[in-house]
Each structure stands twice: as C-alpha cells, then as structure tokens.
Amino acid sequence: MSELEELYRRMLVIRRFEEELAEVKKLGEVPGSIHLCIGQEAIPVGVSALLLPDDYVTATYRGHGWAIERGSDLAGLFGEIMGRASSVAGGRAASPYLSDASVGFIGENSIVGAGVPIALGAALSCDRLGGGRVSVVSIGDGAMNQGNVHEALNMAAVLALPLVVVVENNGYSEMVRIEDMVRVTNLAERGAAYGIPAETVDGNDPVVVARAAAVAIERARTGGGPSIIEARTQRLVGHYSGDAQHYRPAGEVAAAREVEPLVRARAALLEAGRDAAELDAIAAGVDREIQDALAAARLLPLPDPTTVMEHVYA
Amino acid sequence: MSELEELYRRMLVIRRFEEELAEVKKLGEVPGSIHLCIGQEAIPVGVSALLLPDDYVTATYRGHGWAIERGSDLAGLFGEIMGRASSVAGGRAASPYLSDASVGFIGENSIVGAGVPIALGAALSCDRLGGGRVSVVSIGDGAMNQGNVHEALNMAAVLALPLVVVVENNGYSEMVRIEDMVRVTNLAERGAAYGIPAETVDGNDPVVVARAAAVAIERARTGGGPSIIEARTQRLVGHYSGDAQHYRPAGEVAAAREVEPLVRARAALLEAGRDAAELDAIAAGVDREIQDALAAARLLPLPDPTTVMEHVYA
Amino acid sequence: MPEIKNLSYIQAVNHALRWSLETVPNTVVFGEDVAVPGGPFGATKNLHRDFGVDRVFDLPISETAFLGMALGSAMTGLRPIAEIMYSDFLFVAMDQVVNQIANIRYTSNGKWGAPLVIRTQQGSSPGACAQHSKSIEAYLAHTPGLRVVCPTTPMEAYQAIRTAVVSDDPVFVVESRMLYPQKGEVQLDAELWPMGGARVVRPGADATIVAWSRTMTAALEAGEQLAARGVDAEVVDLRWIAPLDVETVADSVAKTGRLVIAHDAPGTGGFGGELAARVGERCFGRLRAPIARVTGIDAPLPAAPALQDVALPSADRIAGAVLETMSA
Amino acid sequence: MPEIKNLSYIQAVNHALRWSLETVPNTVVFGEDVAVPGGPFGATKNLHRDFGVDRVFDLPISETAFLGMALGSAMTGLRPIAEIMYSDFLFVAMDQVVNQIANIRYTSNGKWGAPLVIRTQQGSSPGACAQHSKSIEAYLAHTPGLRVVCPTTPMEAYQAIRTAVVSDDPVFVVESRMLYPQKGEVQLDAELWPMGGARVVRPGADATIVAWSRTMTAALEAGEQLAARGVDAEVVDLRWIAPLDVETVADSVAKTGRLVIAHDAPGTGGFGGELAARVGERCFGRLRAPIARVTGIDAPLPAAPALQDVALPSADRIAGAVLETMSA
Ligand SMILES: Cc1ncc(C[n+]2csc(CCOP(=O)(O)OP(=O)(O)O)c2C)c(N)n1
Ligand SMILES: Cc1ncc(C[n+]2csc(CCOP(=O)(O)OP(=O)(O)O)c2C)c(N)n1
Ligand SMILES: [Mg+2]
Ligand SMILES: [Mg+2]
C-alpha cells in the first residue's frame, strides 16, 4: 500500500467516525455539544504518521481525530462521547475533554490554548527522562492569541524542549475570522518572536503535513528544540454540533468541499492509477470498523452513580 | 533653556528623589521594599516630554519616575511610600502600586505585565471618547514573557488603539538575565508578531527616547494604532532595596555608571558649552525641591486606622 | 400602563443590554462572538447592528487582556460590559479580577473607580465537561471590592444588569445557562432596583431553604414536594452574593428555626459555608436543628448525565435535607 | 540518634527540597529566580549548584506556562516542585490550577495523575501592597482535587514538603513569609508524616481557638494572654486545609463548647466560614456560644502599617473574641 493510500484510509477512519457521531448526536444519544474535525483530518493523520507509541499528543475539544490517530479504542471513544462507562475516561470527560493515558494521549482541552503549557510539560519529561521522545500539541488559529500559548512557546524555545506545536488554522475561532483577530498574514510569522522555526503548510494534504512534521519531529528528537507548523485548512461543518454557520459567506463551505483532504486524496490516488473499486473497498472496510465500534459502544453500560466520588484523589 | 537641559533637570529630579528615598529607607522610615529606577530616568523623562496633561500613563512597581513625570506631588509621593496619609493614595498603595488619578497616572502595578491590558483600556477610552489622547505604558524586559502582555499587544493592534508600550530593557528580571529568558536579540523583534511598529533605542539618552516617543505618540494621536519602543538601559542599583546583586558580574555596574543618562547628559551639556557651575545650580535647585518635599512628607500624618474600610466600594 | 413582556431569560438579558446602550452614556459591550454573531447564547443579538462597531465589538480569545481593558476603560470614562462566555474561562483572567479590578478603588484611596460589568453564565448541563460547568460565586465572594449577583428569572436578570450598569462598582452578573430558555414577565420600564437584597419567593413557616442561581429551580420544586407532604417551607432566593443580605435569611430562620442551603458549587469552601456561619452566629439558640447544606460534590463535575444526576443538588435531596432537619 | 537541627523555617524548606531531590526520583525544581539566585527568599539555595541545571532551573515570568509544565511533566513521569513567588501571582495562572491540575485525575477516570507540588508563600508584611499580601487558602480549598497545607513551624514546613513530594496528588504548600525567619528544631531523619491532621498546640479546657498560617502566631499569643487572665484556651493548628481534619476541631469544641476561628484572609468567603459551618453542624447543641471568626478585613490589604495594624487578626482581637464567647 502506498503512503498516500494509508493516509487516505486513516483520514477516512476519522471522517467516518465524525460523521457517524453527528448521526448519533441527531438521534439524541450524545449529551452536550461536539466539535467535529471534518475537513481537518489531514493534519492529525499527517503528523501522527511520524509519531511513535511512546510520544505524547495533546489536542483541543476538536481532538477526536488526534485520539483516533493515537490509537484510542474507537468503541471507547464513542462510548466516552455518549456518556457511557467507556474505556477512555469512564464518561467523566465526554467529547471535548477526553484523554487516554493508555496511548499517550494527554488529552483534549476545552480551555483555549491551555493544552500548550501542559504539552510543554510532557516535552520536559521527554527531555529529562531521555529516549528521544517528543510532545506534539494541536491548537486552533484563535488560540494563538491566548497568553498561555505565548508563554509556553517562549519557554519551549528557552528550554529547547522537544515540542511540536501544530496550529490548525481553519480560519475561524467559533464565529469570527482569524484575519479580524490578528495583524499577521500567516500565524507562522509569530515563530520569529520566540526564535522557533515555523512554517505554513497546506493542511489539506496529509503528505505535505507529514513532510513538515518529519522535519519538526526529527528536530525535536535530536535536541533541536521546538517547532511550529501552521496547517491551513477549513472546517466543513459548524464550530459545534448546533452551529447554523450564518456567519460564513455563501458558497464558502461548498468551495471548501472541492479541496478538502479526502476529495483531494481520492483524486490523487485515482490519478496515480488506483481504481475506484479498490478505494471503495477501503471505504467499506472503514465503514464496518466504525459501525462495529458504534455497536460496541452502544452496549457499554452507563457509569455507575455510586462511583461518582472515585478518582478525585489518588 | 535647551531641550537637553530641561530633560537633564527632570532626570535629576527623579534621580534625587530615588536617592533620597534610599536614604530614608535606610533610616527605617519606609516600610516594605522599594524598586528604584536609578539609571533608567531617561526613559520616563524622554517619553513624558511628549505627553499632554490628559494623556494616561501606566507603569510598574519601578514607576516612581513615571509618577513624578506625570506631575504627582513630590511630597505626596514620598508620603505614600513612607506609609503616610498621602495625597497620592492615602498610604494604601505604597511604593510598588501607587496611582494618582489627579494627574492621569493609572498607576504602577506589582503584577508583572498586568498594567498593559489596563493601559489598553485607557487607550480604548482615548479612542472612543475622542480628543487625540494617548495611553502610555511602561513595562520591563521580563514582562514581555507574560501572557497578559502578549494578549494586550495583539488586541491593541487589532483594535488600532492609541497605545504606546515602552519596554524598559534593563537586562534583568529580578536576578535573571533577559538573554536567558528569550531567544530574540531585541525584544522589539516581537512587534512583527502583532503587526506593531517597534524599535530598539538607546534608553540612556532622553533625546533619543523623546524622538522615538514623538513618532509613536504622533502615530497614536492620529489613529495609527499602537507602537512598541524598546529602550535599552541598565539599572545602577539592585532590583529592590535589599538586593545584594551577587548575580551581577564584577564590573558591570561600574561600567554602567560610565554611560548612565545623567553622566552622559551632563557631559553633553558641558560639551555644548554650558558651564559646570550652571549645571551645579540646577542640581542644587533640584536638591532643594526634593528636600522640601521630603520635609513636607515627614509632616504628613499617619493614616487614620478608623478609615480602613473606606473606599472598598463606591 | 407598564410595558410588560413575556421574555426568556436570555431575551431579558438582551433587553437589559439594549437599555444600557440606549440609556447609559459611554456604555460599550465586548467579548468573544458578541458583535456580528450576537453572542454564543444570543445575549447580544442585534446590538452590533443597532449600536455600531464602536460600541459593540468582538475580541480575540484573550480574556486577560479584555478584562484588563474593561478595567482601564472604566477608570477613564467608559462603562464597559464584558462577556466571559463560560464562567470557567474567568480563571484564565483571574489576575485582572482579583489583583486589579477588585483593588483599584481601595488602593487609590477612592480616586480611581472601576464602574464595569462582567457578565458570564455558569452551571452544569448534560454532557458539559468539567471545564464548562463550574459555579464560581464563592471565588468571587471571597474577593472584596466586587459585587456579585446571580439572577434566577428573566425579570431578575433584566434588573440585575441594569443595576450593575449604573453602579460605580465592578459588578459580576453571573447568569445561569440552564435558565436561559425559561420565560417570565419582564417589566421593561420598571424602576431600577437597588443593589442587594434577598427575596422570599415562597413564604413558609416550618423551615427555610436558601438557594441561588440554577439551584433555585430545585429549591422551589423541593418547596412544592414538601408542601405535598405537609411541610411548609420558606424558600429564599439569595440573589446578591455581594452585597449579602443576611437579614432576610436570618429573619426567616428566626421564624422557622431550620435552614437548608443549596448550591451547585462544591460544598467545601462554597458560599453556603459562609452563609451557614453567619446565620449560625446570628440565630444562635434559635436553631432547632443543625444548618444543612445540599451542594455539588467535592469533585470536578463529570460529563456523563448518569454521574451528573448524583453530582448536583436535586429537589429530592433538598426536600430530604429539610425533612431531616424537621426530625432533628 | 535522631538528626536534629535548629533551623529557620526557610532553611527547613531548603532542607526538605534537598531531601526531595536526593531521595525522590525524577524530582525537578523550577520557578523564577530559584536556580542560580537560590530563590527570592533563599528556599532553593545551592540546589542548582548541587543538583545541576537539568533538575533545578530558572524560568521566564510565565506562571501559566510553568504551572502547565508542572502538570504535563507530572503526568508523564517527573515530580515537579514549582515555586510561585508570592501567592498573589497564582491568579495569573489560575486556569492551570482550577481547570487543569485539579481536574485531570478525575476527568481521566484515574488514568492520569498529577503528582506535583506547588510551593508558594502568603501573608501580609509592613509596606506590602495589596498585590503582595493575599492569603489564598480559601480559593484553593474550594477547588476539589487539590491538597493544601499551611505549615507554621520549621518542622511542619519540612514535613509538609516531604509529604507533598511523595504524594500522588497535586499539593499546594502555602508557606508564610512572616514566619520564614523563625527558628525551631527540625528532625531531618524523621519518618514521613501522613497527609492531613490538625494539631492541638496548646491544650485547654475553656474555649477552642483554631488558626493556620501566620495567624497561628497571634492565636498562640492570645492563648498566653488568656491564660494570664485565667482562661484556659485550647489552640489548634489546622495545618492541612485539604484534607481537612474536622474531627480534631470538633473534639476540642465538644470539650470546650466555644470556638474562635482566626485567619488573615478576608472573612467573607474565607475558610473560617467552612470550618464554622462544619463545626456548627457537628457540635450542634454542644456549643455554649456562637462560633466567632476573627479575620482579615473584607478589603484589599492596605500597605501602610498604620492601616495594616487594624486590618489583620491580632492576639488582642482573638483573645477578645474568646472572652466574648465566654460571656455569651
Ligand atoms: C479560554 C477560553 N475562552 C473561550 C472559549 C470558548 N471557545 C471555545 S472554542 C473557541 C474558538 C477557538 O478557535 P480556534 O482556536 O481557532 O479553534 P477551532 O475551534 O477553530 O478549532 C472559543 C472562543 C474557551 N473554550 N476557552
Ligand atoms: C506575575 C508576577 N510574577 C512574578 C513577579 C515577581 N517579580 C517582580 S519584579 C520581577 C522581574 C520583572 O522584570 P522586568 O519585567 O524586566 O522589570 P524590572 O524589574 O527589570 O524593571 C518579578 C519576576 C510579579 N511581581 N508578578
Ligand atoms: Mg480555528
Ligand atoms: Mg528588567
């Protein structure tokens, strides 16, 4: 299987997971709101292709894709989001704050930017405990305006820690445009303020993302310190499950659908000689995987209310 | 009187105030610690030369010079710092947190960086209420690593507010060197991250500072948005009153004394033809002013303990 | 004839903000998604359209900077109303609250003031994670210099915001997300209410229940349950956390001899402790049973509804606590 | 033979940190001015020299980032000990405390943990401004998931830090700047103490005084004053705010029937309210007088000593409150 084909399959897993989740949400099986990464799959997939099992990943509320790429159990993820006694976080965290220690997933974070200082801590462990491990953190474009991110970037540079900061620039923070909230064209321009190598890449191409990640991760593994990768992308859906997207100009999403990662990867694969049936078979396989996981999640029990006070302390 | 001569005199006022304060502290008349701006006088003097009475100034705990330049009553300042019922803040604020609404002095701040968001607010008022007023805020080099400063700089740029941020880069944050705490050579390099014009200037020359301030303040007054001025300087004394400065390399302070603003200004004035006696007369006048203020402060009563609950609320 | 409308809580908030922009000079409204989008919950709907971008504007995700901006602009002539989207997010900007906004009047000896309003909303909802479900009034209550109100009805919300906007003190209006859809009558041209004051919502003789914020719903329901069982509970809405109206509560307890305090925030260190301490002192010798507290668990709030159900005060639990004080 | 030294409180802290670096694997110490300078108060003196820059290092003035770093590194194998120079500065990093550090064990269903220590110091001193004089224990106490200790003597400080460092929970060691110079005997090779537990420092029969942090000094002095007037006060050092040892306090009050709680933090919303509420509940019917609180004023703390003198609990005021409960 070619590199792209594998990346394509992995993006499909995330896409189908998210789509299925949207359906399950409509059925009333998901309490609370969910923030889907539909359209942004190339980023977790491209970056994670370079990661090893004992690396660490930190993400945001829009982090299902990162958890999946880390190798979290799909049924456990569905279950967690559906408020069940999941293998992931027992139903305590839900969609926007889940974590999974078993796969080095530091977790999502629902406080904008707050994951970066935490990922910095994981990078400190990687550095001090040895083994060439790295800590990757994903944030959104809007998060670049939070003080916590600024502080952590500077500190990562000063301590030369193995931290890779991935900025998934989807152009929006909730309902406002990033160009109205900063006075730089590319967020990667901020790297210079910290002395951190930074580049802006096409976030809808997993191969491009993987190439940038390879450089950054190699730099981190070999003591070269932090990097910033700004990956340009678009979300094809609302900020959260109930978002009517009135704020998006007409045609924007339709145009985005033309250049979204799965459409592009499929076209590239066809171009490279794969036939459609082959790709459909991959999709069917992914679909089964997702359906099985969802079915398994539906069998998970609800959390036992008598356990509500467990794990506040060690 | 020439521009430099007036600037020299004003620097002398600050210098003598601070020196006298150090003496008074030694005499046990000042409770708590004080953070003197000795060596950095050219910065408040150079910037304030361009300010009008209804502009706003915000500073740090090292802000006596800024308060003096704003026109705060010298006796009131001494009294405030000495824990007396002063005209400045009634003894409630002391050396590191004093403010003076009567002269548009938003105040010092003892939380590193926290004055910048507040000064941003004053800039918002300047903008929305009209009149071409500006808000100036002084911070230290170390404050550039606080999240609050980052957020406020970006916001000032986005809102194009009349804010002038003066970074008094004295090379140290308490006992650590700025070059160990950032990976840029000049802090002004960070301006680009916000799209804010920024420059690094000689902070020991009040004329140079005034020139930079003129540009920044004019920009602010005319709707051109914020600016950053990094003024390079050195403190000739400890971070605070009890600081033995073990962390400073041998000879550093001695070398700094050769190029400090008052020495340089005096030399320049002599060079320009002023004679020493003239300058000594200025110094003597300043000295009297300071002595008178201190004498007046010593006559101020202690705050009345029965007023302790006043002014918590309006 | 008074102008009375049937409005949801969030609509009442919108009306109060509109009133402020129309009536109180130099009012500005800012926060995240408050302008063009009209607010994540619709609180600021159409205000940007009607009052323009100079007065109603969106900001980057920089709460520290914009609460600082609220302070600095309030000191210098504006009357800012800032929105913190979820009360949990206040913690990223807590320095500006605790060390700046709360201090300035006192530390300037009254020469500066901070006439600003910070609106936020709190409480848990099904599926909300621990970072979107805190109830924060106790953190604010322990910070002298602030005023804090937790409105529970559309009319209360309308009046609380108006009172806050004309106040020369910094006021936190802590709204309740769970109550946003609830409707009620709002008299738009009502006189302004003074700041402070609890309200006896349900008079009763046997026991006193005090609650605030979302928990009032459970408290009132408990009152009904108890009535059905022949226990006549007096239910008091504390409303203002600061200034605190202990008198109304103490008067009620002097009458009933029994007190149950309910709130969603964790019990330990919650504001219920303060209230219990004060009433315990005032009503010493007049209490017929120990003061009981029914509160959120001493844990971060779990997201799964199955766990949330036992994590927060319910009408059942409040009624149960009252019955226990009756048998004490 | 036990190894006993006469140390100041700050020296005891230094010894405890040294013990941690020597004994507990993967311990790291970081903060502002803690490495080469040895700490603003000397707590980390020579640790950088003896353990190297990888384990003891200085950081930029970025408290949010470094508390987050403490959390992330604690989750992944290190045992960080972070220093927040003044407790007031914690508010700039409060999100990492309230929304991150306190949550992670619970929200991960026990799969992640945060074995970290945050040392800070609190309290007012003459001339200190309102931004350098907060007492913060109540904010922490209301945040489930944290452990909080306020040591009052060199030996307490030494043991509290050691207990904190080996704990798998996040522990705040809230030291007292005013007590730093005070000397006392420290047994360096003492067994570790378990976490929690108040201590009866002065046994007595007539009334109970509970205090913690700096205020213990005033409480003990009040005990002496009262003894001179024939009142035999029992003085309890609460020590751990979380976990809280109500039993020791309640046992004392069951005996004396009278309770005065003293702390420097503002009274309203202070931890004294919580304690009063708990004891009020437990000792209902056994109290001979209302529980009294002697606290810092409900205001930002003023800098001038003339104002500070009346702003904080003194031995006189505490003794006065006890006498009042005696005559109730
Ligand atoms: C501190 C904080 N402020 C505000 C929010 C509310 N909020 C949630 S997501 C979001 C937008 C974030 O935008 P971006 O960083 O671009 O990420 P994206 O959602 O686009 O992935 C905001 C403002 C929050 N969760 N935390
Ligand atoms: C938030 C916060 N963290 C730490 C401190 C302690 N502190 C006071 S001054 C200072 C150094 C500041 O350095 P810089 O910004 O360069 O200003 P300078 O003192 O050199 O004028 C520090 C760390 C503080 N006051 N506030
Ligand atoms: Mg975005
Ligand atoms: Mg400096």
Side-chain angles (χ1 to χ4, degrees), chain A residues 54-215:
Chain A
D54 58 358
D55 292 327
Y56 294 109
V57 169
T58 308
T60 72
Y61 47 86
R62 201 179 302 292
H64 304 161
W66 289 96
I68 291 171
E69 279 295 298
R70 256 304 63 192
S72 261
D73 177 53
L74 292 178
L77 288 172
F78 271 126
E80 181 62 34
I81 297 166
M82 294 162 74
R84 292 174 182 271
S86 82
S87 58
V88 173
R92 283 162 151 73
S95 169
Y97 191 24
L98 56 84
S99 65
D100 191 344
S102 69
V103 296
F105 188 49
I106 297 286
E108 299 185 304
N109 211 302
S110 274
I111 300 295
V112 168
V116 187
I118 299 170
L120 177 75
L124 182 70
S125 289
C126 293
D127 182 73
R128 297 298 198 266
L129 301 174
R133 293 175 301 148
V134 304
S135 171
V136 171
V137 57
S138 153
I139 54 172
D141 45 285
M144 287 295 283
N145 293 330
Q146 263 287 338
N148 51 23
V149 174
H150 166 79
E151 294 187 1
L153 287 174
N154 180 62
M155 208 176 281
V158 168
L159 299 175
L161 294 181
L163 181 71
V164 177
V165 179
V166 179
V167 183
E168 303 192 38
N169 186 346
N170 61 12
Y172 284 95
S173 313
E174 297 204 333
M175 310 172 217
V176 300
R177 297 176 162 281
I178 188 65
E179 60 254 44
D180 296 332
M181 294 296 141
V182 295
R183 287 282 170 268
V184 285
T185 309
N186 291 315
L187 294 168
E189 292 168 45
R190 289 195 174 165
Y194 310 107
I196 299 183
E199 64 173 325
T200 303
V201 303
D202 178 355
N204 280 0
D205 184 334
V207 178
V208 168
V209 172
R211 218 170 288 145
V215 174

Side-chain angles (χ1 to χ4, degrees), chain B residues 35 40 60-62 109-113 139-144 146 148 168-175 178 235 239, chain C residues 95, chain D residues 32-33 61-63 85-86 89 92 132:
Chain B
H35 305 77
Q40 307 185 194
T60 73
Y61 45 86
R62 201 179 304 291
N109 210 299
S110 275
I111 300 295
V112 168
I139 55 173
D141 45 286
M144 286 294 282
Q146 264 285 338
N148 51 24
E168 303 192 38
N169 187 346
N170 62 11
Y172 284 94
S173 312
E174 297 203 334
M175 309 171 217
I178 188 65
R235 59 169 154 76
H239 167 68
Chain C
D95 171 63
Chain D
E32 290 155 15
D33 300 308
I61 313 172
S62 304
E63 285 85 359
M85 197 185 292
Y86 279 72
F89 309 161
V92 305
H132 281 63

Side-chain angles (χ1 to χ4, degrees), chain B residues 1-14:
Chain B
M1 214 164 43
S2 77
E3 182 195 6
L4 180 59
E5 191 171 309
E6 172 58 8
L7 295 173
Y8 175 67
R9 198 191 61 78
R10 290 165 71 165
M11 294 197 298
L12 255 183
V13 172
I14 300 176

Side-chain angles (χ1 to χ4, degrees), chain D residues 9 34 49 56 96 104 199 206 247 278-279 288 295:
Chain D
Y9 187 121
V34 300
R49 184 195 67 191
V56 180
Q96 287 291 340
I104 190 62
R199 191 166 75 97
D206 298 339
E247 285 70 26
R278 297 236 196 160
V279 174
R288 299 193 227 175
T295 69

Side-chain angles (χ1 to χ4, degrees), chain D residues 34-327:
Chain D
V34 300
V36 185
F41 304 99
T44 51
K45 201 168 162 189
N46 292 337
L47 300 180
H48 170 264
R49 184 195 67 191
D50 297 343
F51 297 94
V53 71
D54 268 10
R55 300 191 63 197
V56 180
F57 48 99
D58 283 324
L59 294 175
I61 313 172
S62 304
E63 285 85 359
T64 301
F66 76 68
L67 290 197
M69 186 163 83
L71 172 55
S73 61
M75 290 170 72
T76 53
L78 295 179
R79 293 210 161 238
I81 307 174
E83 176 172 312
I84 295 286
M85 197 185 292
Y86 279 72
S87 66
D88 312 67
F89 309 161
L90 195 66
F91 294 100
V92 305
M94 203 63 172
D95 171 63
Q96 287 291 340
V97 175
V98 172
N99 286 321
Q100 314 295 342
I101 290 169
N103 283 351
I104 190 62
R105 182 175 293 277
Y106 188 79
T107 55
S108 70
N109 207 24
K111 288 167 77 182
W112 288 116
L116 60 88
V117 177
I118 298 172
R119 289 181 47 250
T120 188
Q121 57 77 24
Q122 73 177 13
S124 177
S125 51
C129 73
Q131 294 171 331
H132 281 63
S133 54
K134 278 220 143 16
S135 290
I136 59 154
E137 70 276 0
Y139 295 95
L140 300 175
H142 190 47
T143 307
L146 306 177
R147 306 292 198 184
V148 187
V149 61
C150 297
T152 49
T153 69
M155 183 63 180
E156 300 276 358
Y158 181 70
Q159 292 290 60
I161 290 173
R162 299 204 308 160
T163 300
V165 170
V166 300
S167 163
D168 285 333
D169 289 322
V171 184
F172 272 85
V173 180
V174 184
E175 302 162 8
S176 164
R177 177 167 83 258
M178 291 301 277
L179 300 177
Y180 274 165
Q182 300 210 354
K183 291 212 153 198
E185 287 198 343
V186 177
Q187 185 186 339
L188 293 176
D189 57 357
E191 293 283 301
L192 287 188
W193 288 349
M195 181 176 285
R199 191 166 75 97
V200 176
V201 182
R202 186 189 195 287
D206 298 339
T208 304
I209 304 173
V210 180
W212 54 90
S213 209
R214 196 284 312 176
T215 331
M216 264 306 287
T217 310
L220 283 169
E221 212 180 301
E224 296 306 312
Q225 286 188 15
L226 289 163
R229 301 181 61 157
V231 175
D232 186 22
E234 178 146 307
V235 183
V236 179
D237 183 352
L238 193 64
R239 306 202 298 188
W240 288 84
I241 302 294
L244 178 64
D245 176 7
V246 192
E247 285 70 26
T248 298
V249 181
D251 287 353
S252 175
V253 175
K255 182 174 73 178
T256 63
R258 296 179 173 93
L259 177 60
V260 173
I261 303 168
H263 59 69
D264 280 15
T268 298
F271 197 69
E274 177 65 32
L275 198 59
R278 297 236 196 160
V279 174
E281 201 178 339
R282 292 224 181 193
C283 298
F284 188 75
R286 281 193 274 186
L287 282 167
R288 299 193 227 175
I291 298 172
R293 289 183 284 166
V294 181
T295 69
I297 54 172
D298 279 338
L301 282 180
L307 295 171
Q308 284 185 351
D309 282 350
V310 296
L312 293 171
S314 61
D316 286 357
R317 281 179 57 213
I318 297 170
V322 169
L323 292 176
E324 225 170 278
T325 68
M326 302 297 296
S327 61

